[in-house]
Amino acid sequence: RESRNLAAELQELGCNKGTIVGLIAEHRLENPIVILGAIMTGAAITTYNPNYSLGESIVLTTLHRVSFFMRLH
């Protein structure tokens, strides 16, 4: 249910098939909810370690062509 709600919110923001979502999070129980929600929109997801340096994040963002970022605290 939470994944469906998240998917609906992402779609309202323009997230759909072909969109790349970057998830910035440590290993958390909520990660599967976010991953499933993004997949339900047709988007692909890539993960980022919150400990990456700014330079590493920029390189990965460019390589993966990320359109949306989501951060879990």
Side-chain angles (χ1 to χ4, degrees), residues 1-15 21 23 30-41 45 68-72:
R1 185 165 153 194
E2 291 179 42
S3 294
R4 278 186 258 139
N5 291 342
L6 178 60
E9 289 179 29
L10 287 171
Q11 286 176 324
E12 287 178 18
L13 294 171
C15 184
V21 176
L23 173 61
E30 296 87 354
N31 289 1
I33 295 168
V34 174
I35 292 168
L36 185 56
I39 290 171
M40 291 171 85
T41 69
I45 192 155
F68 286 89
F69 281 97
M70 298 174 64
R71 182 173 182 105
L72 298 181

Side-chain angles (χ1 to χ4, degrees), residues 36-55:
L36 185 56
I39 290 171
M40 291 171 85
T41 69
I45 192 155
T46 186
T47 57
Y48 286 74
N49 183 323
N51 296 317
Y52 286 165
S53 70
L54 178 60

